[in-house]
Amino acid sequence: MSQFRVKPTLCQIDSCKAFCEQFEVGKGDLILTNPTYFEGFFDGCADGATVVFLKKYGKGEPTDLMVEALYQDIKDLEYKRVIAIGGGSIIDIAKIIAQETISPVVDLFEKKIPTKKTKELIIIPTTCGTGSEVTSVSVIELTVRGTKLGLQTDEEFADYAVLIPELLEKLPFRFFATSSIDALIHAIESYLSPKANPFTEMFSVEAIKLILHGYQEIVAHGEAARNEHIKEFLLASTYAGIAFGNAGCAAVHAMSMPFSGTYHVPHGEANYVVFTEVFKVYNRLAPDGKIRILNELLTSIVGGDGSDVYERLETLLSAILPKKTLKEYGVKEEELAVFTENVMTKQGRLTANNYTPLSKEEVYGIYQNLYG
Ligand SMILES: [Fe+2]
């Protein structure tokens, strides 16, 4: 059985200009991006390429409506390569438009249309969080079905994942914080996943070290210090993507889903709200399993004697991104049971990777502790 795979060719390139030269960007290329990333970085070095700004089709998380509207505009264009320059939404949609048949996108996601990648796909992330440049999954909201759905197939792997640190230098601190915390959670959840193996663990551990050490530098020297470490954060995000792309994420992602979906809280921020509380419960339920090794690693970074490792971790993380209670997001107490039901019945893809099984009562208890 396959334990580990990294399909895209990985490249680190110092500047967008150098990328355009090395990849000979121009005619035959469809660049999916937004003005924030394109202007100032790619102006004048991508002549001849067709540039499409996703914001024209809507804001926020990707939907089937956005994909269908975009498809109408690009269906008669000739392009051989799709180049995605952006965050999670742009990357997820680029994986779709590299397919031979795109519409109706609902049929693609419900597997009535087979996936078959007919365009070369190059992904350039502009946040340090999703790890989506190295995974084979895209998630969109199917408005016709009233739910988010993920499509995972080998046909969605990029051919190249290109890391260009300069693109992240203008990322607002809040986006930097939510995306890098998401990457940290990818690394930690995948480390404890039952599907973890020595190959994924190596990437998880390295990502954890890079991100937490980077946070300590920011706490010590101020927000501007992140740009000195942005290359490491970008690398860590890709490492974490490699780890969770092979070993999976678990309860933290599962429990954040209904909350972030209902209250439109950014993915990384919603994961952060749930994160340490889930791990405190894991630690209580199965303290002698693999979590001991994780706790030793975390303690070696955050200090202490190990007894309060998650409190110390929370102190470090809250210096990067203040944490709010569910109540502060407007969640009503009666919704905690609805969220719990969603986790128990709809998030099995993720909860199958839990370090130790969490009962309905335990999931509800975690939400209660987070409520405020
Ligand atoms: Fe995530």
Side-chain angles (χ1 to χ4, degrees):
M1 192 186 150
S2 165
Q3 279 193 301
F4 185 80
R5 189 158 50 139
V6 186
K7 196 105 184 273
T9 298
L10 305 174
C11 313
Q12 285 181 293
I13 298 181
D14 284 339
S15 71
C16 301
K17 193 167 178 286
F19 162 77
C20 291
E21 284 167 9
Q22 286 178 36
F23 280 77
E24 296 177 347
V25 176
K27 197 169 180 307
D29 289 327
L30 174 68
I31 299 178
L32 183 64
T33 186
N34 268 332
T36 333
Y37 313 126
F38 193 79
E39 289 161 8
F41 290 109
F42 291 90
D43 287 337
C45 62
D47 293 344
T50 303
V51 181
V52 177
F53 294 139
L54 185 65
K55 69 182 271 194
K56 179 183 166 193
Y57 306 95
K59 277 187 4 187
E61 309 270 305
T63 69
D64 49 354
L65 301 177
M66 286 158 78
V67 178
E68 294 294 353
L70 170 62
Y71 171 68
Q72 287 307 316
D73 284 356
I74 63 169
K75 65 180 183 193
D76 298 323
L77 297 177
E78 294 271 323
Y79 57 99
K80 293 195 185 76
R81 287 195 299 197
V82 174
I83 303 176
I85 306 164
S89 301
I90 285 171
I91 296 175
D92 280 7
I93 291 183
K95 288 175 178 177
I96 299 167
I97 64 170
Q99 304 298 320
E100 182 174 50
T101 311
I102 300 163
S103 177
V105 69
V106 63
D107 286 355
L108 195 69
F109 273 68
E110 292 180 344
K111 301 194 170 157
K112 291 175 192 155
I113 300 173
T115 47
K116 186 181 174 199
K117 187 157 72 66
T118 48
K119 313 285 191 294
E120 194 171 72
L121 178 60
I122 300 171
I123 298 181
I124 306 173
T126 56
T127 68
C128 45
T130 69
S132 194
E133 65 278 6
V134 285
T135 69
S136 60
V137 64
S138 56
V139 180
I140 67 167
E141 187 186 339
L142 293 176
T143 58
V144 288
R145 297 281 183 269
T147 184
K148 268 187 183 178
L149 200 63
L151 179 68
Q152 184 160 21
T153 131
D154 281 5
E155 297 291 318
E156 288 191 287
F157 273 120
D159 296 282
Y160 292 91
V162 183
L163 308 185
I164 309 177
E166 74 168 6
L167 271 170
L168 276 73
E169 283 169 10
K170 288 183 187 160
L171 189 66
F173 189 82
R174 190 172 178 77
F175 290 137
F176 159 78
T178 56
S179 65
S180 56
I181 285 182
D182 189 31
L184 175 69
I185 295 170
H186 293 156
I188 293 183
E189 287 218 281
S190 59
Y191 183 78
L192 287 191
S193 163
K195 291 187 203 141
N197 59 59
F199 307 109
T200 64
E201 285 166 2
M202 189 180 75
F203 283 91
S204 287
V205 167
E206 195 56 28
I208 293 167
K209 286 181 185 169
L210 285 171
I211 294 169
L212 291 181
H213 284 142
Y215 284 167
Q216 287 173 324
E217 288 293 305
I218 292 168
V219 170
H221 304 291
E223 287 185 6
R226 80 184 154 119
N227 276 343
E228 286 162 38
H229 297 277
I230 208 69
K231 205 168 177 174
E232 286 99 279
F233 277 105
L234 188 54
L235 207 51
S237 165
T238 301
Y239 286 171
I242 291 170
F244 93 84
N246 284 279
C249 284
V252 175
H253 275 72
M255 289 189 64
S256 80
M257 286 281 183
F259 159 56
S260 74
T262 312
Y263 286 92
H264 303 289
V265 178
H267 172 80
E269 184 175 338
N271 282 335
Y272 170 48
V273 170
V274 181
F275 171 45
T276 46
E277 211 54 40
V278 168
F279 275 72
K280 283 179 196 165
V281 173
Y282 279 167
N283 218 20
R284 180 165 53 75
L285 294 176
D288 296 324
K290 191 176 173 185
I291 202 167
R292 277 178 81 149
I293 309 170
L294 173 70
N295 292 349
E296 282 169 18
L297 169 67
L298 295 174
T299 302
S300 73
I301 302 168
V302 299
D305 61 6
S307 60
D308 58 350
V309 60
Y310 291 100
E311 285 77 8
R312 283 173 174 265
L313 182 60
E314 198 154 275
T315 304
L316 175 60
L317 299 185
S318 61
I320 302 296
L321 185 69
K323 189 169 139 180
K324 295 198 282 188
T325 63
L326 292 178
K327 201 174 175 179
E328 287 175 291
Y329 285 100
V331 175
K332 297 170 202 72
E333 199 161 9
E334 57 271 25
E335 284 176 299
L336 303 184
V338 180
F339 291 173
T340 302
E341 194 58 26
N342 179 289
V343 171
M344 302 311 290
T345 60
K346 301 237 161 60
Q347 307 294 344
R349 178 179 71 90
L350 292 160
T351 56
N353 301 328
N354 285 359
Y355 164 63
T356 190
L358 296 176
S359 68
K360 191 172 176 178
E361 290 68 35
E362 279 146 4
V363 170
Y364 185 74
I366 292 169
Y367 279 133
Q368 268 190 321
N369 282 345
L370 296 169
Y371 183 67

